[in-house]
Structures are given as structure tokens and as C-alpha cells.
């Protein structure tokens, strides 16, 4: 059960109308605030998560998650979202090799 606390912002703070005709809206770059008392940070590329360099090092694997509020981790901190959890599990597995 979620408890709304004083630090809550409206979801509108984190989204904007998209210029892509296939999308109604997208995350607003550099938006920051709280949803259900959990800190939400949108990076400068308009993505929730860490900002990775555009150029991918040769020894790096990249996986992108595209989805809805569950993928976003709505109501969760970034380290509670399933993309983050999968990233950490993969990193631990790959570092064992």
C-alpha cells in the first residue's frame, strides 16, 4: 500500500508531449522530484537511470528496456526497478567469468 507523503509531485512534472508521432508523451529531460515519496530523477537524455556514454566500449554489453510504468519502476527508487536489478545480476554473473 502506498502512502502519499508531503514530498509528492504530480506525474505531469516528469512528462512532456512527444514530437514523435508514435508517442503521446515522453519523459522530460532533467526532471526531478518525488512520486509516492520516492525520489525520481530523469537524466538529460530523458531516461530514468544513469547516464551512460554514447560511445560503447568494446567490452561492454548494452541492453535497453522499453516499457510502461512497471519498466519505469513507478512508485520505486531506481535501485528497486527491474531493469536496475537485472543489470546488477548480469554484472555479477559476467564478472564471475
Amino acid at each position: 500500500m502506498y502512502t502519499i507523503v508531503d514530498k509528492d509531485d504530480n506525474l505531469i512534472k516528469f512528462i512532456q508531449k512527444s514530437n514523435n508521432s508514435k508517442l503521446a508523451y515522453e519523459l522530460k529531460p532533467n526532471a526531478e522530484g518525488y512520486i509516492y515519496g520516492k525520489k525520481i530523477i530523469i537524466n538529460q537524455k530523458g531516461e530514468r537511470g544513469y547516464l551512460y556514454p554514447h560511445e560503447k566500449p568494446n567490452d561492454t554489453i548494452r541492453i535497453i528496456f522499453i516499457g510502461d510504468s512497471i519498466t519505469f519502476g513507478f512508485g520505486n527508487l531506481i535501485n528497486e526497478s527491474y531493469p536496475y536489478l537485472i543489470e546488477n545480476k548480469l554484472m555479477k554473473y559476467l564478472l564471475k567469468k
Side-chain angles (χ1 to χ4, degrees):
M1 181 90 186
Y2 292 121
T3 302
I4 298 177
V5 296
D6 291 340
K7 286 187 173 181
D8 255 5
D9 292 304
N10 191 306
L11 181 62
I12 299 301
K13 180 176 185 172
F14 302 97
I15 60 174
Q16 64 187 13
K17 185 175 176 1
S18 179
N19 291 328
N20 183 331
S21 62
K22 295 181 181 182
L23 300 173
Y25 64 89
E26 59 194 14
L27 296 175
K28 189 183 298 181
N30 300 312
E32 193 172 318
Y34 293 84
I35 296 179
Y36 294 120
K38 304 284 182 129
K39 182 75 169 181
I40 304 295
I41 298 171
I42 309 301
N43 68 31
Q44 65 195 35
K45 289 184 169 184
E47 303 162 348
R48 184 174 187 197
Y50 305 104
L51 189 61
Y52 295 99
H54 181 74
E55 293 297 322
K56 183 183 78 65
N58 290 333
D59 61 346
T60 300
I61 297 171
R62 295 237 173 117
I63 300 172
I64 186 167
F65 290 86
I66 299 173
D68 56 10
S69 59
I70 293 171
T71 305
F72 177 81
F74 192 81
N76 293 306
L77 295 171
I78 188 68
N79 64 348
E80 299 169 330
S81 67
Y82 84 81
Y84 179 90
L85 296 171
I86 290 172
E87 177 184 12
N88 279 333
K89 284 195 181 289
L90 283 170
M91 292 294 289
K92 287 177 186 173
Y93 173 78
L94 293 171
L95 289 175
K96 286 182 185 178
K97 290 186 158 200

